[in-house]
Amino acid sequence: MANSDSRFAVLIDADNVSVRYIKLIMDEVSKEGVATYKRIYGDWTNPALISWKSTLVDNSILPIQQYSYTTGKNSTDSAMIIDAMDILYSGSVDGFCIVSSDSDFTRLAARLRESGMTVVGMGESKTPNSFIAACNSFKYLDLLRSAEEEEPEEQQRPAVKKKPTAQKKAPQKPAKAKEEPPKEEPKTSLRTIRNALRTIVRENSDEDDWIFTGKVGNLLSKRYPDFDVRNFGFSKLTPFLDSLDMFEIRTERKDNAGPSLVYVRLK
């Protein structure tokens, strides 16, 4: 598993990623380790990529020029793959972050993992399952960004509710409008997660049927690289598990200074 000292090479496919995700990408990478390589690939002579300039400067990301030699063909993929292998053989990193929604990087992710690298994938919900499965973990950028945008709205609602009773119906309208556009969902559904949790807890709990939540999260992420509680509107694992109404929850504290340990077992 990656830690705060792990060195990562961040390789971004500009043809398949929006500029609005850059800050989110770098924030997610910082949770995995330190980004020692930060490169983004595209044909920078293309006017469509001009909006990237200030963002790349602000985040110290190196743009790599890759001309489109043939119309309709994507040469960016080849440039990223070649650089990734060069970085791998340099022995200077512990993992890779591949940012793209393109299935063409599936074999690259698998090859990097074969060499002992931690591979974090990032892309939108449209990313094919093959690429997701090839990574150690996968982050849905569109889902995570939507969750971040909703948080300020939730915080503002109490102020609206304090207004006179004649306006009580007003909060219901934005709520309906918010539900109207269908949201993208993770490839691994909540139903699949629930079934997997039952199996994990039954197979790995102690003689009293209790299991540490950290172990549950670790095993679940290994089965489903795209699992992230934020995909389902939660910031931490324990509240997510509690919301499923499947588990009894027990909290222990070994000493006053140490963190609490949370255990669950099936009801």
Side-chain angles (χ1 to χ4, degrees):
M1 295 295 293
N3 57 60
S4 58
D5 295 323
S6 296
R7 298 163 299 172
F8 274 79
V10 183
L11 309 180
I12 305 171
D13 179 5
D15 295 332
N16 281 285
V17 175
S18 170
V19 64
R20 67 179 182 270
Y21 293 134
I22 288 298
K23 184 180 184 304
L24 177 59
I25 291 168
M26 301 316 300
D27 287 347
E28 290 299 311
V29 172
S30 68
K31 297 175 184 177
E32 303 289 335
V34 179
T36 54
Y37 291 83
K38 294 187 286 185
R39 298 179 181 178
I40 185 166
Y41 300 77
D43 183 358
W44 302 103
T45 62
N46 185 344
L49 298 182
I50 196 169
S51 61
W52 285 90
K53 183 177 178 181
S54 61
T55 303
L56 300 185
V57 172
D58 292 342
N59 291 276
S60 187
I61 301 174
L62 177 66
I64 305 296
Q65 172 63 32
Q66 183 58 48
Y67 291 103
S68 299
Y69 299 117
T70 306
T71 303
K73 298 292 184 180
N74 188 357
S75 55
T76 300
D77 296 1
S78 299
M80 281 183 62
I81 292 170
I82 291 170
D83 271 12
M85 297 310 294
D86 285 344
I87 294 170
L88 170 65
Y89 290 126
S90 73
S92 57
V93 298
D94 305 298
F96 286 79
C97 177
I98 302 174
V99 187
S100 178
S101 300
D102 194 339
S103 63
D104 289 348
F105 295 106
T106 299
R107 184 67 189 98
L108 172 62
R111 176 65 182 82
L112 294 173
R113 289 187 65 182
E114 289 171 0
S115 295
M117 296 286 107
T118 297
V119 180
V120 178
M122 296 187 193
E124 294 185 326
S125 300
K126 64 183 180 182
T127 306
N129 285 330
S130 57
F131 179 40
I132 295 172
C135 301
N136 291 94
S137 63
F138 189 88
K139 313 290 184 181
Y140 292 112
L141 297 174
D142 48 346
L143 297 184
L144 296 182
R145 190 167 189 269
S146 295
E148 284 187 351
E149 290 176 346
E150 287 175 6
E151 287 181 1
E153 294 176 5
E154 295 293 335
Q155 294 172 2
Q156 291 172 8
R157 284 187 181 178
V160 176
K161 290 181 180 179
K162 290 179 181 178
K163 291 185 177 181
T165 55
Q167 299 180 7
K168 282 185 177 179
K169 294 182 179 180
Q172 296 177 0
K173 291 183 180 179
K176 288 182 180 179
K178 195 175 179 180
E179 293 173 0
E180 283 176 4
K183 287 187 177 181
E184 293 287 353
E185 296 183 354
K187 294 287 194 304
T188 304
S189 67
L190 183 58
R191 181 178 180 179
T192 301
I193 294 298
R194 289 175 66 95
N195 291 335
L197 283 169
R198 287 191 185 94
T199 303
I200 288 171
V201 173
R202 285 171 181 161
E203 293 179 351
N204 298 277
S205 57
D206 61 20
E207 58 274 8
D208 294 321
D209 298 326
W210 291 100
I211 182 172
F212 177 49
T213 53
K215 185 174 182 180
V216 172
N218 187 30
L219 292 172
L220 191 57
S221 297
K222 287 180 178 178
R223 291 193 183 196
Y224 301 103
D226 65 335
F227 172 72
D228 191 316
V229 294
R230 292 174 296 175
N231 295 340
F232 302 99
F234 293 86
S235 60
K236 294 183 179 180
L237 180 62
T238 300
F240 170 71
L241 295 176
D242 189 27
S243 72
L244 299 177
D245 196 28
M246 296 169 53
F247 303 103
E248 296 177 37
I249 298 178
R250 187 186 85 213
T251 303
E252 290 184 0
R253 186 184 291 275
K254 291 188 175 181
D255 54 69
N256 294 331
S260 298
L261 301 178
V262 183
Y263 297 83
V264 296
R265 70 178 177 186
L266 291 169
K267 288 184 176 179

